[in-house]
Amino acid sequence: MRQIVIAERVCLTGHIVSMVFGLVGILLVVPNADVILHLSQVGQTAMQWSLAGGGVAYMILGTAAVFLYGLRILGLGRILAFMLPAVMISLTSELLGTSTGFPFGHYSYLSGLGYKIAGLVPFTIPLSWFYVGCVSYLLARTGLEVDKKPTLLRHIAAIGFGALLLTSWDFVLDPAMSQTSLPFWYWKQPGAFFGMPYQNFVGWLGTGSVFMTVAALLWKNNPIKLERSQLNVPLAVYLSNFGFATVMSLAAGFSIPVLLGLLLGVAPAVAFWLKSSTPSGQINVEPAAQEVSIASVKVALK
C-alpha cells in the first residue's frame, strides 16, 4: 500500500507540474519564441519538452494518479468499473463527434495531444474524460450521501451533478484551447458561446451522464463510503485542472466562461467536499473491511 501511495503522489505532482510547464510554453514561449534563446540549455530542453509532449504527459499522469487513487481507496474492481466505461463511451462519442458532428458539433483535433485513434481522436482525450469524470462523480456521490442514504433520487442527482462538474470544466477549457495561439482543436462551425456551439455542452452532459450511470449500476452491490480526507485527491485533481483552464481562458480574454465554471463547477465541488466530513464517532475503514466494520458499528450503537 505504501508503494501505491508514493506512486500516486508522484503522478499527481507530475500532473500538476506538467500543467504549469504547459501554461508557460503556451502563454509565454509560443507568443515570444525568442525568449527560449535566452534560456540555459536545461531551460531550452525543458521548454521544448513542454511544447512537444506537455499535453500528453499531463493527461497520462492525471490518469495514473486517479487510477492509483481509485486502486487504493475504491479497490481494483470499482476503479476498473468506472474507467473502462468512461474511456470506451467517451471515445465513441469523440469518434462520432469528429466524423459526424454528433453529439458535440463539427470539430477536429490538431496535433499536440498524442497519437490519434482512427486518425481522429488523440488517445489522451478519453483518458481525460476518465480522470476528470471520476473525481467529479466521486465528489458528487459522496457529497449527496448516496451510499449512506441510497435512493433513486440521490443516485440520479449524483450522476447529474457529476456530469455538471465535468461539463463546467469544459466551459472554461474549450474556448481557450480551441482559440489560443497554439490550438489543440478547432470548430468547423464556430458557435455562439465564445466560439463553441451550445450543442457541445449537451454532448458533454450526455456523455458524462451515460458512463457515470453505467458505473453506478456496476457499483450497485458494492457501495462506497468516503470521508472528507479521502476526497482530498479528487478535489485537488478537479481544482488543478480547473485552474489550468482558468489561466488559459483569462489569458485569452474569456472571463464569462470562467465565472460560469466557478459557479457551476468549483462551488458545488467544494460544497460536496465540505459536506463529506466524517460524523463524530464514525470508524474509518479500508474498502476491503467495510462489511465487517460497519456491522460492528451497528452493534456498538445498540
Side-chain angles (χ1 to χ4, degrees):
M1 183 62 70
R2 179 175 174 78
Q3 289 81 358
I4 293 177
V5 172
I6 293 172
E8 176 192 323
R9 290 177 179 175
V10 168
C11 289
L12 180 58
T13 301
H15 174 59
I16 295 172
V17 170
S18 295
M19 285 192 286
V20 172
F21 267 100
L23 288 174
V24 172
I26 293 171
L27 300 181
L28 297 180
V29 177
V30 173
N32 307 283
D34 58 319
V35 170
I36 198 170
L37 298 176
H38 300 287
L39 297 176
S40 65
Q41 185 61 45
V42 174
Q44 291 183 23
T45 301
M47 285 299 100
Q48 290 170 358
W49 174 86
S50 171
L51 295 174
V56 175
Y58 97 75
M59 291 187 188
I60 291 177
L61 288 168
T63 300
V66 172
F67 178 80
L68 290 170
Y69 163 82
L71 180 63
R72 178 172 63 87
I73 298 296
L74 305 175
L76 180 61
R78 279 181 290 202
I79 192 60
L80 287 178
F82 192 99
M83 182 178 186
L84 295 180
V87 168
M88 298 308 298
I89 291 170
S90 64
L91 176 58
T92 300
S93 289
E94 292 278 359
L95 288 172
L96 284 172
T98 50
S99 58
T100 70
F102 174 84
F104 307 107
H106 293 278
Y107 66 104
S108 294
Y109 284 101
L110 301 174
S111 60
L113 295 177
Y115 167 79
K116 293 182 182 179
I117 299 171
L120 296 171
V121 180
F123 79 96
T124 52
I125 294 299
L127 299 181
S128 68
W129 279 88
F130 154 66
Y131 76 76
V132 181
C134 184
V135 299
S136 297
Y137 181 61
L138 285 175
L139 286 165
R141 180 171 176 134
T142 305
L144 292 171
E145 300 183 322
V146 171
D147 295 288
K148 292 181 180 179
K149 306 171 184 177
T151 65
L152 179 59
L153 182 60
R154 287 179 186 272
H155 275 289
I156 293 173
I159 291 168
F161 273 105
L164 179 62
L165 295 185
L166 176 63
T167 304
S168 296
W169 171 57
D170 188 60
F171 283 162
V172 186
L173 182 71
D174 207 314
M177 293 291 276
S178 61
Q179 299 176 59
T180 182
S181 57
L182 185 65
F184 292 91
W185 58 84
Y186 72 95
W187 292 97
K188 298 178 182 179
Q189 298 176 355
F193 187 81
F194 299 92
M196 293 182 294
Y198 290 112
Q199 177 186 348
N200 177 57
F201 303 125
V202 177
W204 271 75
L205 284 169
T207 300
S209 295
V210 170
F211 67 69
M212 289 178 193
T213 298
V214 173
L217 291 173
L218 293 174
W219 288 0
K220 183 178 180 181
N221 297 321
N222 197 6
I224 59 171
K225 293 186 179 180
L226 306 180
E227 60 185 60
R228 184 187 297 178
S229 63
Q230 294 173 308
L231 288 177
N232 288 341
V233 169
L235 185 67
V237 170
Y238 187 81
L239 293 182
S240 61
N241 279 268
F242 189 92
F244 172 85
T246 294
V247 173
M248 290 284 294
S249 279
L250 291 179
F254 301 133
S255 57
I256 293 178
V258 172
L259 292 175
L260 280 175
L262 288 170
L263 178 65
L264 300 176
V266 171
V270 173
F272 290 142
W273 177 76
L274 291 172
K275 182 80 165 50
S276 64
S277 58
T278 305
S280 177
Q282 179 172 330
I283 298 176
N284 182 24
V285 297
E286 292 297 324
Q290 282 180 348
E291 186 175 348
V292 175
S293 297
I294 291 171
S296 66
V297 171
K298 290 182 178 179
V299 172
L301 291 174
K302 290 179 180 179

